[in-house]
Amino acid sequence: MSTLRDLAEEHTQLRPADIDHLHRIAGDWQLLSDMSFADLLLWAPVDADGTFLCVAQVRPTTAPTAYQDDQVGRIVGGPEVAHLEVAYRQGRIWREGDPVWYGDVPARHEAIPVRLRTADGEASEVVAVVGRDTNLSTARTPSQLELNYLTTADDLAQMIADGTFPPPRHPGETTSAPRVGDGLVRLDANGKVTYASPNAQSAYRRLGYASHLVGEDLAALHRRLANDPLEGTDAANAVLAALRGDAPPRREIDARGATVLTRALPLMPAGVPIGALVLVRDITEVRRRDRALITKDATIREIHHRVKNNLQTVAALLRLQARRVAMPEARVALEDSVRRVASIALVHETLSMSSDEAVEFDTIVDRVASAATEVAATEVRVGMRRKGSFGVLPAEIATSLVMVLNELLLNAVEHGFPPAGDEAEAVEHGFPPAGEEAEAAGAGEPPAAGDLASAPEVVVAAHRFRKQLHVTVTDNGRGLPAGFDADSGGNLGLQIVRALVTGELRGSIELRDASGGGTEAVLVVPLARGGEQGRSAS
């Protein structure tokens, strides 16, 4: 089904400002629907002959619907929308007429003209009509709660006709809570409570107020109840602002271990402030779960921080041991272990600063690549470049993948390029002789970064395709040795790579000669792990 904006732009002559106002109504009109015990349908004029298009619909949660079928997208005219035509042409709320039958459901029609306030504060011409259709099949003598709901709904309907409802939405706020059924308090022009629903009464009892709310000054009560005086003052000021005709942001009140969310709305039918409507919701359990999650997240981050510190300590001990070892082979093995441990520590360092068990992997790859060129045991200066984005990866993938990339990058730098003293082999593989390279550098004309034949370079490319991460590590070096067996050949680093890719990552890896010379390692890693999937970079 098309959205409100799509329907309005395709079938009507409404301006963007008009459509934005209709969106605000549709975002806040569940309140009016519930208090009216009626379906609300938003009708936009299609042309001048009295044809209307239904661009939005909401059903009440407090009463049975009048429509079993969705009405959005219907274009109707003639006698069926005569009440809409009256409200649209005359700019007044239409309540006359006999009940209308939809199948075996009798319904009462009302029509509310929709205006919006212009930049100078004046009400615009009518831009649309809200149909308020009530299912009469369950009609009965209304209770005190229902009478207060209906009275308040009539006030809000008049404010729609005046262009003062809904109020502007504050940044970061949603329209889902509190709702009418959570708790409703109505105030007179002096801020005294004239009615409080049973749920609202229960919410304030959780805060420690055991008496009846009717007759209480709600702003003063908020100041008395709140544990934090500043919080109580903010909640009280929100009530006073609504009484003045403003629409303040929602406020929370904490008292006696309970938390209540309040939303104050002005009541200004025909532009006259007559009081305010305060919606309340007991969110004690919600906030308790939030605090538990915050504590859990902080604990997890602290664990990652401590793991990172421990790994750095292990790396430092291995580095000290390497300095004391006389055997070159043993020293190299220890130094390799230092780099592997440091790469894992890098992931935990990132996780210790993250709010969830996921990391922005591009930054980690860039740091690992930079470290590989600095610590590699080679005299050749090798450039590093990343193409594409890894995005955000879950920790269980990131930890193994960073070790894989660390090994591949080190192998590419240390074994992919001829030694600096072997000028014949360098020229054979397309690299300029040392003198020419120095001469070019001195002339201020370094080789182009993307020209693989001009300078030693390793490129890490990544992209996502069908819930898989495809990674390619390509160098423009001397290529794989003759007779190299990708399944069994290679040093310890490549054996670690194969074990991690096929085991921990449940992916695949292929080592092959690159088409333009050099070596290419191709990894395919599935992103769906344990019901979760890595998220793309935003």
Side-chain angles (χ1 to χ4, degrees):
M1 178 62 68
S2 299
T3 65
L4 186 158
R5 186 176 298 276
D6 293 336
L7 290 169
E9 290 177 347
E10 181 178 354
H11 298 283
T12 74
Q13 301 298 318
L14 292 175
R15 301 166 300 172
D18 300 333
I19 298 175
D20 289 341
H21 184 68
L22 298 187
H23 263 292
R24 288 194 295 272
I25 290 178
D28 237 341
W29 67 348
Q30 185 70 60
L31 171 68
L32 177 58
S33 176
D34 289 343
M35 288 194 296
S36 300
F37 307 100
D39 292 76
L40 300 183
L41 288 78
L42 187 54
W43 296 96
V46 175
D47 48 40
D49 64 357
T51 303
F52 290 85
L53 165 70
C54 182
V55 295
Q57 177 184 0
V58 63
R59 293 180 171 88
T61 61
T62 52
T65 179
Y67 300 97
Q68 296 302 321
D69 297 328
D70 192 22
Q71 303 297 301
V72 175
R74 282 191 64 206
I75 298 178
V76 294
E80 186 177 352
V81 294
H83 60 298
L84 304 179
E85 182 73 9
V86 171
Y88 183 73
R89 299 298 179 189
Q90 299 181 14
R92 66 177 180 86
I93 297 177
W94 184 93
R95 291 193 174 97
E96 304 88 20
D98 297 325
V100 177
W101 288 82
Y102 294 100
D104 57 353
V105 177
R108 182 179 63 245
H109 275 329
E110 296 179 61
I112 306 165
V114 175
R115 295 184 177 89
L116 66 154
R117 290 284 162 172
T118 60
D120 57 3
E122 297 295 325
S124 70
E125 295 296 323
V126 178
V127 297
V129 179
V130 171
R132 184 162 60 166
D133 301 338
T134 307
N135 185 335
L136 299 177
S137 62
T138 59
R140 56 187 175 83
T141 303
S143 64
Q144 185 182 9
L145 179 145
E146 292 167 338
L147 287 173
N148 277 277
Y149 276 16
L150 291 170
T151 300
T152 305
D154 288 342
D155 293 334
L156 293 179
Q158 184 60 54
M159 292 173 65
I160 288 179
D162 298 336
T164 56
F165 184 87
R169 188 178 304 175
H170 295 275
E173 285 191 346
T174 63
T175 59
S176 59
R179 293 180 179 247
V180 170
D182 296 326
L184 178 145
V185 179
R186 177 157 179 150
L187 309 180
D188 62 17
N190 296 317
K192 299 295 181 66
V193 177
T194 60
Y195 175 77
S197 70
N199 284 345
Q201 189 73 53
S202 297
Y204 279 94
R205 284 181 179 173
R206 291 289 301 274
L207 293 175
Y209 184 75
S211 301
H212 289 292
L213 285 169
V214 175
E216 280 291 329
D217 184 327
L218 194 64
L221 180 62
H222 285 177
R223 289 193 183 93
R224 296 200 309 269
L225 292 178
N227 291 334
D228 186 342
L230 293 177
E231 185 181 84
T233 299
D234 288 342
N237 290 340
V239 173
L240 297 175
L243 293 171
R244 294 192 302 267
D246 298 329
R250 298 179 176 111
R251 298 295 183 186
E252 292 184 10
I253 303 174
D254 289 302
R256 297 170 63 96
T259 304
V260 170
L261 176 65
T262 67
R263 182 190 183 193
L265 295 170
L267 294 177
M268 300 177 58
V272 179
I274 63 170
L277 175 68
V278 180
L279 301 174
V280 298
R281 180 186 179 189
D282 184 352
I283 58 171
T284 304
E285 294 304 318
V286 175
R287 288 294 172 261
R288 186 172 298 167
R289 287 195 296 268
D290 289 345
R291 287 191 288 270
L293 289 174
I294 291 173
T295 302
K296 177 183 176 182
D297 290 341
T299 302
I300 292 174
R301 287 197 297 272
E302 178 61 22
I303 290 172
H304 283 301
H305 179 72
R306 295 189 181 188
V307 170
K308 183 262 297 185
N309 288 343
N310 291 339
L311 290 173
Q312 288 180 337
T313 301
V314 171
L317 293 174
L318 291 173
R319 191 177 296 110
L320 289 173
Q321 186 66 44
R323 292 172 182 171
R324 295 175 177 268
V325 173
M327 295 178 59
E329 295 83 356
R331 186 183 303 112
V332 170
L334 289 172
E335 290 173 348
D336 287 343
S337 298
V338 168
R339 289 192 289 270
R340 289 162 185 153
V341 171
S343 67
I344 301 174
L346 185 58
V347 175
H348 286 281
E349 179 184 3
T350 306
L351 287 170
S352 69
M353 297 181 289
S354 174
S355 59
D356 55 15
E357 286 291 285
V359 294
E360 185 69 46
F361 202 70
D362 289 345
T363 303
I364 294 178
V365 172
D366 294 342
R367 292 177 63 178
V368 169
S370 176
T373 59
E374 294 174 0
V375 303
T378 179
E379 299 176 3
V380 179
R381 186 179 64 183
V382 180
M384 288 283 182
R385 184 159 55 94
R386 174 173 56 83
K387 293 172 57 179
S389 174
F390 288 81
V392 179
L393 296 179
E396 58 183 350
I397 292 180
T399 303
S400 299
L401 185 58
V402 72
M403 290 188 64
V404 169
L405 292 177
N406 181 61
E407 297 295 337
L408 291 176
L409 291 172
L410 283 172
N411 269 298
V413 173
E414 292 183 346
H415 306 295
F417 301 95
D422 195 344
E423 185 170 320
E425 185 177 357
V427 173
E428 180 183 348
H429 285 84
F431 301 111
E436 294 181 12
E437 184 178 0
E439 182 180 348
E445 299 177 358
D451 187 357
L452 294 181
S454 62
E457 184 181 45
V458 178
V459 179
V460 182
H463 73 278
R464 297 180 179 227
F465 180 70
R466 292 181 179 175
K467 298 184 180 181
Q468 292 179 330
L469 178 64
H470 293 250
V471 182
T472 305
V473 179
T474 307
D475 67 68
N476 60 343
R478 50 186 158 190
L480 294 172
F484 177 80
D485 186 353
D487 294 327
S488 60
N491 55 20
L492 175 62
L494 289 180
Q495 295 175 19
I496 292 175
V497 167
R498 279 192 294 269
L500 288 173
V501 172
T502 58
E504 295 296 325
L505 296 176
R506 298 200 297 272
S508 63
I509 181 171
E510 179 185 0
L511 295 175
R512 62 196 184 195
D513 289 323
S515 58
T519 305
E520 187 175 64
V522 180
L523 286 80
V524 179
V525 178
L527 291 175
R529 302 292 300 274
E532 298 291 335
Q533 180 180 335
R535 299 190 301 275
S536 298
S538 58

